[in-house]
Amino acid sequence: MNFHTRPHTFVEHVQLIVEDLNRSLSFYQDILGFSVLKEERGIVFLTLDGHNSILSVVQPENAKPKQPRTTGLYHFALLLPNRKELAKVLHHFINIGYPLQGASDHLVSEALYLADPDGNGIEIYVDRDSNEWKWENGQVEMTTEPLDAKGLLAESDGSTYEGLPKETIMGHLHLHVSDLQEAESFYCKGLGFEVVLRYSNHALFISTGGYHHHLGLNIWNGQGAPAPDEHRAGLKQFTVVYPSAEARDEAADRLGKLGYHVQQLDQFLFVKDPSGTLMELAID
């Protein structure tokens, strides 16, 4: 997939609950380079290009720390336009001493992993050219190998890091779910995504348009893991974007037939997945 080519259906925006708004804004602005686009109803919308928001944060009055062994966010993934930008990010983290949780080569992409001050997982990655991705029987080949950090760092050419580039998009979202079969039914039969990789019997990767994945689903927090308590730091909601109102309404109809309640608030549609994770169904 070309970096600038949007598939039919994709994840565009992620909203996080945080314990300390000022602490979070300091991280996202000073470490990653976001700026505040606007604030509505206590929700702070962050931007990289000055026009669009791919991330927002909110601090409820009685916010509590992230709750372990629950469903919801594993990580959200910020997709950079090229490898040089990822090299600049890695140089930046080394220079400021910010701890990484991992650095991996997934064959289809190269990725850095970290967490924000609340423990919300973040992946920052760059795709390899889609012509290099290997497919067999409709399944994309992905694995986890050590990142060639030395080779990556050489890509930066001594360029100064000035924040994540304005072309950065929300590349994918990876979720903890309580039951993989239920999740597959909801996201594929309901929302319309397609399975592109089954990772043993404990994770599933799904997409549209032949991308390596727009959503990852796993049961690594345990089969039957509960949803987090209200106001816990973590994922508040995310947005799934459809190419047209007709496509979105067809997805809503499919979800209704599967027994899920799609709620309409003004022109907005909302639904919770089987694990209790809230999402908005939007139109591009």
Side-chain angles (χ1 to χ4, degrees):
M1 183 182 90
N2 182 281
F3 177 81
H4 297 287
T5 301
R6 288 296 202 180
H8 287 187
T9 305
F10 56 94
V11 176
E12 184 175 60
H13 185 271
V14 167
Q15 185 176 121
L16 302 173
I17 294 174
V18 298
E19 253 199 296
D20 184 324
L21 189 60
N22 289 331
R23 181 182 67 177
S24 292
L25 289 177
S26 177
F27 168 80
Y28 284 106
Q29 291 176 293
D30 300 340
I31 304 296
L32 296 188
F34 283 89
S35 59
V36 174
L37 180 65
K38 61 181 179 178
E39 183 174 349
E40 292 181 355
R41 304 181 307 279
I43 303 168
V44 180
F45 291 85
L46 301 173
T47 183
L48 290 168
D49 66 3
H51 304 286
N52 303 294
S53 177
I54 58 174
L55 183 69
S56 58
V57 292
V58 59
Q59 179 191 338
E61 284 187 14
N62 53 345
K64 299 176 182 178
K66 193 171 179 68
Q67 187 176 355
R69 310 297 293 175
T70 56
T71 60
L73 184 68
Y74 179 52
H75 64 242
F76 64 88
L78 302 171
L79 175 59
L80 307 184
N82 56 64
R83 197 168 187 247
K84 181 177 180 178
E85 293 294 344
L86 187 65
K88 288 161 64 176
V89 171
L90 181 54
H91 267 294
H92 171 59
F93 289 150
I94 292 171
N95 290 338
I96 66 173
Y98 197 88
L100 289 177
Q101 296 180 330
S104 301
D105 185 332
H106 296 301
L107 301 183
V108 295
S109 63
E110 295 174 287
L112 305 174
Y113 295 91
L114 62 151
D116 75 1
D118 287 283
N120 293 312
I122 303 170
E123 176 182 345
I124 301 175
Y125 75 111
V126 63
D127 279 333
R128 285 199 168 91
D129 191 294
S130 58
N131 292 327
E132 298 179 37
W133 304 351
K134 296 180 180 179
W135 294 80
E136 186 174 350
N137 299 322
Q139 301 273 297
V140 67
E141 185 179 353
M142 288 195 293
T143 187
T144 299
E145 302 291 343
L147 181 71
D148 176 14
K150 185 177 180 180
L152 177 62
L153 289 170
E155 290 274 339
S156 69
D157 296 330
S159 300
T160 303
Y161 176 82
E162 298 178 345
L164 296 178
K166 64 181 181 180
E167 300 90 353
T168 301
I169 61 174
M170 188 64 66
H172 66 265
L173 179 65
H174 198 149
L175 300 172
H176 292 292
V177 299
S178 58
D179 185 281
L180 212 53
Q181 286 186 327
E182 282 186 343
E184 180 177 349
S185 176
F186 175 89
Y187 284 97
C188 295
K189 293 180 181 178
L191 292 184
F193 288 92
E194 298 175 351
V195 176
V196 289
L197 179 62
R198 296 183 186 276
Y199 195 75
S200 187
N201 60 351
H202 48 76
L204 195 65
F205 296 90
I206 60 178
S207 76
T208 62
Y211 192 53
H212 56 71
H213 70 295
H214 293 109
L215 283 161
L217 310 167
N218 73 68
I219 53 170
W220 298 334
N221 273 350
Q223 176 74 24
D229 299 335
E230 194 175 12
H231 303 319
R232 289 283 191 169
L235 181 63
K236 174 73 172 177
Q237 67 179 62
F238 67 96
T239 302
V240 176
V241 177
Y242 287 87
S244 66
E246 181 181 14
R248 183 189 67 168
D249 293 345
E250 287 174 354
D253 184 59
R254 292 193 301 267
L255 289 169
K257 290 177 179 178
L258 289 171
Y260 296 99
H261 174 61
V262 180
Q263 184 178 14
Q264 182 166 356
L265 298 173
D266 296 324
Q267 73 271 34
F268 304 105
L269 297 183
F270 295 90
V271 65
K272 285 186 176 181
D273 77 0
S275 304
T277 300
L278 179 66
M279 69 201 70
E280 178 191 349
L281 308 182
I283 302 166
D284 193 7

